[in-house]
């Protein structure tokens, strides 16, 4: 760590006043430690080496000796080294026999030394800085050589060489100072190794505004700070900003941080900083009788229509009651997952991107462009890890405690699909690869969009058959909305008008002019009702403080809805609703209560949740043939009536095989027709049966059941 300092002193030679000030600083540090940290040093000495660091509060040092504190910022290596010496100097009092070489770490730097990652520029090089970061990548822990002991193979002279841990080159003596020759042997037992880990941090999403790109920075962790972090962790850091020569580009230097102290922060997006005035404003807003309409009116106002989708998204932003557990300790997911499925060019992507900006912590990813690491999490061998393993966090992990906006869900790869599956229900992602087994927190609410397999939505087909998404994944979504682009003169005119106004507003603003008075009313409709900044704070506050509970009336209303619908199912021989949808309704009604900062779920909240759930089910959970609710459409990808007809066809094939030892297409067709299944549909059913492996064709036009 102090190699740089050493080389500097070597080249310049010790400056007399430096030596003098250094010993003065060391004395002052010794006094400081004795007066403020004596008992903690005692305890450290007792527990060393299980405990290896003394953590000093910057404010205390600043209070005791502002000059040394200032020097710590300006010349951190020097002061940290002196502080270590000062600490080691306490050793005689503790009559310790063994080596006592603890780290000295500094926490709580004042705000003026706290930067965002993108502001860590070259003026701060070799200074002590503080910043916040989310772990994006982290390598496994490796022992790095810090002090190498070499023996000259000719004359056995011992040389001690401090290593530069940031590159992989072994620092060797250039020649033997005794015999001038150049062959050495590394004495590993006598050399000193230190655990190190390389990390890439990125700006926490909740700290960014608008469409900024999250800036990364590489950092090194050592000794007792290793093995603490996993990808997705949000961390507060104190460290020294350094530069290293880039391996590839000659004169370009890479920045990195040598970490002195770190601590984990909460990763929830609720910790958006709110001032007293903010809270007052938030509370005032919650008393508006039209608060609900106003929130919905603030979701992507530039996008025309979709009142139900916007309402669902509003609820999703608040989420259900957090921190609930079943009596047996099972965690209950509070996040609401929503899927938009439908025609291209219907503003799905736009909607997702808007919500990314509105959510206090939101990440947008597209299934088309994202690799496995992009969406969930992976372990890889790569350059960053210098041939070792690197754990990488994808969007779901980075968005933990917030929202993940997943576009083109139908295009994501198999591997991601299965971790997405896991993340949506258990809110974790596990990676098991070559001896690495880790679990990442991935409690993000998911708003996803998907396009149909054949370009356009066909309302006569079942949704599960039109999307490249397995039904098991599909059924993990609380709400599913088909987004259809059907020509409708009135709607088309209104949409065109809306889009044109949006463009005109944007255009006049771009050239700094104001709109004519009569257009102002129209302009309003394309602007958010509540300022996005305030809404973000409002959501944040609600998520942090409001934990609504169902009232008796609301509970009764939900129960009745569920039981009534199940009863209908009984009489029509289908399953219209399952416990999953019941949980969705509970989550939605809790979110609705949170929307007005109420800790009681009232009957109106239950009604709203039921209405939304019903609208969705009417659109996607209805068998197009019978017009009845049938949850199997979502859960298994096939309606009861279709399943029944598939069963009929299998029966026919089995019977024909039993009787004639063969089922030819013509015979199947005749039998099927008798049972009311037409030729076209029979073709589809046979295809499905083959795909599912229920039947196979040993010869052209001949069908056999896979099991008798
Ligand atoms: P998708 O992702 O559904 O294929 P996009 O989000 O890319 O569609 O939208 C295509 C374009 O059409 C966007 O520029 C969007 O603004 C516009 N658009 C489509 N529907 C609407 C709407 N209802 N209101 C406003 N703009 C719309
Ligand atoms: Mg799109």
């Amino acid at each position: 760590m102090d190699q740089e300092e050493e080389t500097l002193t070597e080249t310049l030679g010790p400056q007399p006043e430096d030596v003098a000030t250094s010993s003065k600083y060391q004395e002052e540090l010794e006094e400081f430690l004795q007066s403020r940290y004596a008992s903690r040093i005692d305890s450290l000495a007792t527990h060393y080496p299980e405990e290896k660091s003394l953590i000093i509060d910057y404010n205390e040092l600043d209070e005791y000796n502002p000059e040394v504190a200032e020097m710590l910022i300006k010349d951190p290596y020097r002061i940290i080294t002196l502080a270590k010496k000062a600490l080691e100097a306490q050793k005689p009092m503790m009559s310790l026999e063994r080596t006592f070489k603890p780290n000295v770490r500094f926490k709580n730097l004042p705000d003026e030394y706290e930067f965002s990652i993108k502001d860590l520029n070259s003026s701060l090089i070799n200074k002590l800085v503080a910043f916040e970061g989310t772990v994006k990548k982290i390598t496994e822990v490796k022992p790095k050589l810090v002090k190498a002991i070499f023996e000259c193979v000719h004359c056995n002279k011992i040389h001690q060489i401090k290593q530069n841990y940031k590159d992989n080159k072994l620092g060797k003596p250039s020649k033997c100072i005794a015999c001038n020759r150049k062959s050495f042997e590394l004495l590993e037992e006598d050399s000193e190794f230190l655990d190190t880990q390389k990390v890439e941090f990125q700006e926490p999403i909740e700290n960014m505004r608008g469409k900024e790109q999250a800036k990364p920075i590489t950092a090194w962790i050592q000794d007792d700070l290793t093995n603490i972090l996993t990808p997705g962790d949000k961390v507060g850091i104190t460290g020294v900003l350094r530069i290293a020569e880039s391996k590839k580009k000659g004169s370009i230097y890479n920045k990195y941080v040598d970490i002195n102290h770190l601590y984990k922060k909460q990763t929830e997006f609720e910790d958006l900083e709110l001032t007293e005035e903010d809270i007052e404003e938030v509370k005032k807003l919650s008393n508006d009788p039209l608060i609900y309409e106003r929130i919905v009116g603030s979701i992507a106002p530039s996008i025309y229509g979709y009142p139900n989708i916007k309402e669902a998204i509003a609820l999703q932003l608040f989420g259900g009651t957090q921190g609930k557990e079943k009596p047996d300790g099972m965690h209950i997911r509070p996040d609401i997952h929503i899927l938009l499925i439908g025609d291209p060019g219907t503003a799905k992507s736009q909607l997702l991107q808007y919500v990314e900006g509105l959510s206090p912590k939101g990440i947008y990813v597209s299934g088309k462009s994202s690799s496995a690491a992009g969406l969930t999490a992976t372990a890889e061998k790569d350059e960053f890890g210098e041939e070792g393993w690197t754990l990488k966090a994808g969007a779901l992990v980075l968005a933990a405690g917030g929202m993940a906006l997943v576009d083109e869900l139908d295009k994501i790869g198999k591997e991601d699909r299965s971790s997405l599956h896991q993340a949506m229900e258990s809110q974790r992602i596990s990676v098991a690869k070559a001896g690495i087994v880790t679990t990442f927190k991935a409690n993000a609410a998911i708003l996803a969009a998907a396009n149909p397999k054949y370009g356009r939505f066909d309302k006569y087909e079942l949704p599960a058959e039109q999307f490249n998404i397995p039904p098991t994944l599909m059924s993990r979504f609380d709400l599913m909305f088909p987004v259809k682009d059907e020509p409708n003169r009135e709607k088309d005119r209104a949409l065109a008008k809306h889009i044109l106004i949006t463009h005109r507003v944007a255009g006049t603003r771009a050239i700094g002019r104001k709109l004519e008075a009569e257009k102002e009313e129209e302009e309003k409709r394309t602007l958010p009702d509540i300022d996005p900044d305030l809404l973000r704070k409002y959501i944040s506050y609600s998520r942090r403080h409001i934990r609504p509970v169902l009232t008796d009336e609301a509970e009764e209303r939900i129960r009745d809805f569920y039981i009534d619908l199940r009863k209908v199912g009984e009489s029509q021989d289908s399953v219209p609703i399952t416990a999953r949808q019941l949980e969705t309704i509970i989550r939605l009604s809790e979110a609705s209560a949170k929307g007005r900062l109420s800790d009681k779920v009232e009957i109106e909240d239950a009604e709203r949740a039921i209405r939304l759930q019903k609208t969705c089910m009417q659109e996607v959970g209805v068998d197009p043939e019978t017009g009845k609710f049938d949850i199997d459409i979502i859960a298994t990808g096939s309606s009861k009536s279709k399943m029944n007809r598939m069963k009929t066809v299998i029966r026919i094939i089995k019977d024909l095989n039993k009787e004639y030892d063969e089922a030819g297409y013509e015979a199947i067709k005749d039998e099927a027709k008798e049972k009311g299944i037409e030729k076209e549909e029979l073709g589809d059913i046979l295809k499905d049966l083959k795909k599912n492996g229920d039947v196979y064709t040993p010869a052209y036009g001949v069908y056999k059941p896979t099991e008798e």
Side-chain angles (χ1 to χ4, degrees), residues 302-306 343-351 407 451 495 498-499:
S302 66
I303 293 170
Y304 173 81
Y306 308 133
D343 293 334
T346 46
K348 299 187 298 299
S349 299
Q350 288 262 309
L351 203 52
D407 208 351
N451 288 317
L495 170 65
H498 192 90
I499 293 182

Side-chain angles (χ1 to χ4, degrees), residues 96 135 150 253 296 309 317 361 398 414 459 466 475 506 515 647 695:
L96 260 177
V135 179
F150 287 97
Y253 285 76
V296 177
I309 296 180
L317 283 162
K361 181 175 182 181
L398 294 172
K414 259 214 187 88
K459 68 175 167 185
Q466 303 189 51
S475 62
L515 227 54
K647 278 191 198 145
V695 302

Side-chain angles (χ1 to χ4, degrees), residues 101-140:
K101 278 190 161 296
N103 305 300
V104 180
R105 306 194 184 279
F106 290 90
K107 65 171 184 187
N108 273 345
L109 256 54
D111 289 348
E112 52 188 306
Y113 303 118
E114 170 122 23
F115 299 88
S116 64
I117 290 178
K118 67 174 188 321
D119 294 332
L120 294 174
N121 59 36
S122 39
S123 72
L124 298 169
I125 286 166
N126 289 332
K127 303 272 184 299
L128 195 65
V129 293
F131 64 95
E132 260 184 10
T134 304
V135 179
K136 171 93 203 250
K137 300 178 189 175
I138 189 160
T139 65
E140 53 192 321

Side-chain angles (χ1 to χ4, degrees), residues 537-605:
K537 287 174 188 162
Y538 189 88
I539 295 167
S540 218
Y541 180 87
S542 172
R543 290 186 60 118
R544 191 188 322 183
H545 297 288
I546 312 295
R547 304 268 179 277
V549 179
L550 289 168
T551 58
D552 290 347
E553 297 79 26
E555 201 177 300
E556 202 173 318
R557 179 73 188 85
I558 296 173
R559 191 179 49 228
D560 289 351
F561 169 74
Y562 181 71
I563 291 174
D564 287 352
L565 209 51
R566 292 287 287 199
K567 259 194 230 145
V568 176
E570 242 169 72
S571 65
Q572 69 187 29
D573 189 28
S574 69
V575 181
I577 187 170
T578 70
R580 264 221 183 108
Q581 284 75 42
L582 180 62
E583 289 193 329
T584 292
I585 293 176
I586 298 171
R587 275 192 276 277
L588 290 170
S589 44
E590 287 169 351
S592 166
K594 281 165 91 175
R596 63 187 139 75
L597 307 189
S598 160
D599 50 17
K600 281 202 198 89
V601 179
E602 308 279 359
I603 200 153
E604 55 164 296
D605 300 307

